[in-house]
Amino acid sequence: MAQPVWIIDDDKAIRWVLEKALTRAGIGFDSYASADDALNALYDATPQAIISDIRMPGTDGLKFLAKVKQEHPQLPVIIMTAHSDLDSAVSAFQGGAFEYLPKPFDIDQAVLLIERALAESQAQSGGPDSPEALPVLLGQAPAMQDVFRAIGRLAQSNVTVLITGESGTGKERVAEALHRHSVRSGKPFIALNTAAIPKDLLESELFGHEKGAFTGALATRRGRFEESEGGTLFLDEIGDMPTELQTRLLRVLSDGHFYRVGGHTPIKANVRVIAATHQNLEQRVRDGQFREDLYHRLNVIRLRLPPLRERREDIPLLARHFLAKSASQLGVEPKRLSEAAMALIQRSAFTGNVRELENLCQWICVMAPGQTVEVADLPPELREPAAAAAARQNESWEHELTEEIRRRLQAGESGIVDELTRRFETACIRAGLSHTGGRKVEAAQLLGWGRNTLTRKIQELGLEIQDAG
C-alpha cells in the first residue's frame, strides 16, 4: 500500500530531513532517489501528494511532473528548487505544479505545504472521510502564506497566541492547526465561545464547580480548563468576556492555578491558551471594557487572518474543497463550477468571509440542477447584484453606521467618534495597502495622505503592516 506522501530527491540528506519531519508530523511516506524509480512505482500505487526535486540525474523534475500530470492530473506535486532555478519554477507552475519550495527551506514550512497538498488531494477525491478527516487550512495568497509560516514557527512553542480577524475568517481552524502542530497535539483541544455562554454560567463553564456551590449544583463538575489539561484551550470572542472573569483568567495565566466555583483547593492548570476576537481589543482597553494587563498576557503572539476579499485568488481552491465536502456529506458526486460561474463568485463581496463561501457551496450542492454549475444556477443575489442591492438598500453601510451609533448612545457609551474613526481609518489603510500590494507611498496617495501621515497612523493604530515600500 502506497504511503500518502512520496519524497523524490537524489540528495540523501534532503530525503532524511523530510523523512524525519514527516515522521514527527505523523504523515506516512515513501522515498525515492530518482524520478525514474518513482515513475516505476506509480504503475502499482498512487500517493496523495508528491514532493520532488527539480534537478536530478535521469528524468528531471519537470519531465517527471509532465508524466505524472498526464496520468494523474489531480495529484498535487510540490517542486523543490534552488533560488537559481526560479525560471524552472515558473515552468513547473505552467506544468501544473501545486507549489514550489525554494531551497534552503524552513522544515516547518515544508510540512505545512505538504499538508496543504494532502488537503487539496482529499478535497479533489471527494471520498467519504477525506474532506472532513482534518480541519484544513487552504490558501495560496501571500497573506495566508504568512499565517502558515507563523503556524510552522510556533509548532514547538507553548506561547499564548491571540488570533484576530473578521467573523467567518477561520479563527478556530487556525487554533486547531496550532494545536495539531504543537507538542500538545496528543492531548485535548477544547473550544469555548465566551460570547455564547450566559454571564452567570461562564465562570462554572471555565473553571468548574464543587457540589453544592450554588442552587442546582448537584455534583462536582470539571470546567474547560480541567478538560483541556495538557492540551489547548481556545477562547473565542475573548473581547466579550465579563470584567470579573477577565480577572480570574488573568490569575490563571499569571500563576498557573485556579479554583472551581465554591472550591478552596487550588488546581494547577497545564494548558496552552489561544484566544480570538473580531473586535479591536486595544480600543476596548482604552474604553475600560477590557483589562490592559490581560490584553498584554494574551497578546504575546498575534496572528491576523485576512478577510476573503483580501485573498480572492484562494476562492477557487476553497470552493472546490467545500463542494467536495458537501458532496461527501450528501453521498453524491461533487459539482463543478463553470469558468463564468467561478469568475462571478470570485467577484462577490463575501462579507461573511470563508463561512459565507462554505454556505454558498452547500446551497449549490443541494439546489443546482446539473453537475456543471453555470451562472444561471447560482443564487439570485449573486446573479442579480443590482436587484439584490435594491433589496438591501436599507442595509447600506451608512445606515448600518447610523444604527451602530444609535445603539451605542442608548447603551450610554462615550468616545464613540474616536473609536469609529479609528476603525474607519484602519479599514482604509488595510484596503489601500491590499490594493497596492503593500506599497505605502502609492496607498497614501490613493487615500489622500502623505507617506509620513500614513506611517504615523499605522503606528498610532498599532497595525502590524509589512513594509513593501
Side-chain angles (χ1 to χ4, degrees):
M1 178 179 177
Q3 295 293 339
V5 176
W6 285 8
I7 304 167
I8 306 169
D9 199 310
D10 61 315
D11 188 333
K12 184 177 180 180
I14 295 293
R15 297 200 306 273
W16 183 86
V17 168
L18 288 170
E19 288 167 1
K20 292 297 182 184
L22 292 179
T23 299
R24 287 195 303 271
I27 300 173
F29 60 85
D30 287 324
S31 291
Y32 300 91
S34 72
D36 295 309
D37 290 343
L39 287 172
N40 289 332
L42 273 174
Y43 287 113
D44 301 317
T46 307
Q48 297 176 31
I50 295 174
I51 180 166
S52 171
D53 192 20
I54 200 169
R55 294 190 182 277
M56 296 177 288
T59 301
D60 65 21
L62 293 179
K63 292 179 182 177
F64 170 76
L65 173 65
K67 292 180 180 180
V68 169
K69 287 298 176 180
Q70 186 175 1
E71 298 295 329
H72 306 278
Q74 303 301 324
L75 178 57
V77 179
I78 300 168
I79 294 295
M80 295 182 287
T81 172
H83 288 294
S84 59
D85 291 328
L86 288 182
D87 289 341
S88 298
V90 174
S91 300
F93 274 123
Q94 292 173 343
F98 174 77
E99 184 62 274
Y100 80 91
L101 185 65
K103 294 181 179 179
F105 51 79
D106 178 89
I107 192 61
D108 293 325
Q109 181 184 353
V111 172
L112 285 172
L113 187 55
I114 291 170
E115 288 186 330
R116 285 205 298 119
L118 288 172
E120 170 71 1
S121 179
Q122 291 165 356
Q124 293 286 355
S125 68
D129 60 352
S130 45
E132 299 97 338
L134 287 173
V136 295
L137 284 171
L138 303 176
Q140 298 174 354
M144 284 306 294
Q145 290 296 311
D146 289 342
V147 173
F148 297 150
R149 278 191 287 271
I151 293 173
R153 294 188 186 104
L154 292 167
Q156 301 304 314
S157 171
N158 283 318
V159 68
T160 302
V161 179
L162 177 63
I163 305 171
T164 63
E166 297 177 6
S167 296
T169 49
K171 295 187 286 294
E172 185 168 347
R173 288 288 178 87
V174 170
E176 290 174 321
L178 284 167
H179 172 75
R180 194 169 71 248
H181 294 286
S182 75
V183 294
R184 297 175 176 265
S185 58
K187 298 294 183 178
F189 173 86
I190 302 295
L192 179 67
N193 187 327
T194 60
I197 307 295
K199 176 181 177 181
D200 295 339
L201 299 179
L202 185 56
E203 183 178 18
S204 175
E205 193 72 24
L206 276 171
F207 305 109
H209 60 253
E210 298 289 352
K211 180 179 178 179
F214 49 83
T215 303
L218 302 179
T220 297
R221 181 182 183 277
R222 300 166 71 230
R224 298 304 177 94
F225 266 97
E226 288 182 80
E227 291 176 353
S228 55
E229 176 65 20
T232 302
L233 177 59
F234 173 57
L235 300 177
D236 199 5
E237 300 303 345
I238 193 71
D240 292 311
M241 178 174 280
T243 305
E244 55 270 27
L245 285 184
Q246 293 177 27
T247 303
R248 289 207 60 182
L249 178 59
L250 175 64
R251 189 175 300 123
V252 179
L253 295 177
S254 300
D255 60 29
H257 292 84
F258 65 93
Y259 294 85
R260 292 182 185 143
V261 177
H264 303 287
T265 303
I267 301 172
K268 184 173 177 56
N270 176 21
V271 174
R272 181 190 196 183
V273 173
I274 298 175
T277 183
H278 73 281
Q279 302 188 51
N280 184 333
L281 283 190
E282 293 90 341
Q283 186 60 47
R284 291 186 71 79
V285 168
R286 286 190 288 270
D287 293 341
Q289 297 174 320
F290 200 85
R291 290 186 61 118
E292 183 174 7
D293 44 8
L294 176 58
Y295 167 73
H296 290 302
R297 280 282 179 179
L298 294 172
N299 193 36
V300 179
I301 298 291
R302 180 183 294 210
L303 291 182
R304 175 188 176 267
L305 296 193
L308 194 55
R309 61 183 174 274
E310 292 182 12
R311 45 181 295 223
R312 292 186 184 276
E313 61 266 50
D314 288 339
I315 289 178
L317 176 63
L318 291 165
R320 287 194 296 269
H321 169 71
F322 290 137
L323 287 172
K325 179 180 176 181
S326 297
S328 171
Q329 292 170 342
L330 294 174
V332 298
E333 285 295 314
K335 296 186 177 180
R336 298 176 299 275
L337 293 165
S338 70
E339 290 188 10
M342 182 66 81
L344 180 58
I345 289 174
Q346 275 193 279
R347 294 195 300 270
S348 299
F350 286 115
T351 55
N353 294 297
V354 178
R355 186 183 297 126
E356 182 181 349
L357 175 59
E358 182 173 12
N359 292 340
L360 171 63
C361 291
Q362 290 176 342
W363 187 97
I364 290 172
C365 191
V366 174
M367 302 297 293
Q371 283 301 108
T372 300
V373 180
E374 302 293 346
V375 170
D377 301 321
L378 296 175
E381 58 267 25
L382 289 182
R383 290 186 286 108
E384 304 166 13
R392 296 194 304 268
Q393 61 182 348
N394 289 330
E395 299 179 12
S396 65
W397 73 270
E398 296 97 333
H399 175 79
E400 292 177 358
L401 177 61
T402 301
E403 291 302 309
E404 174 70 6
I405 294 171
R406 285 175 179 167
R407 184 187 67 78
R408 289 170 178 256
L409 289 172
Q410 291 171 356
E413 295 185 20
S414 60
I416 297 173
V417 172
D418 288 343
E419 180 188 353
L420 294 181
T421 299
R422 289 177 62 85
R423 291 171 61 181
F424 175 76
E425 290 182 344
T426 297
C428 288
I429 290 170
R430 291 201 186 281
L433 291 172
S434 174
H435 179 74
T436 63
R439 295 183 294 276
K440 290 183 180 178
V441 174
E442 185 178 345
Q445 291 173 345
L446 293 174
L447 294 172
W449 291 332
R451 179 191 169 105
N452 290 340
T453 300
L454 177 62
T455 301
R456 175 174 53 80
K457 287 184 177 292
I458 289 174
Q459 294 173 346
E460 291 175 349
L461 295 169
L463 302 181
E464 295 179 359
I465 302 294
Q466 292 186 351
D467 194 349

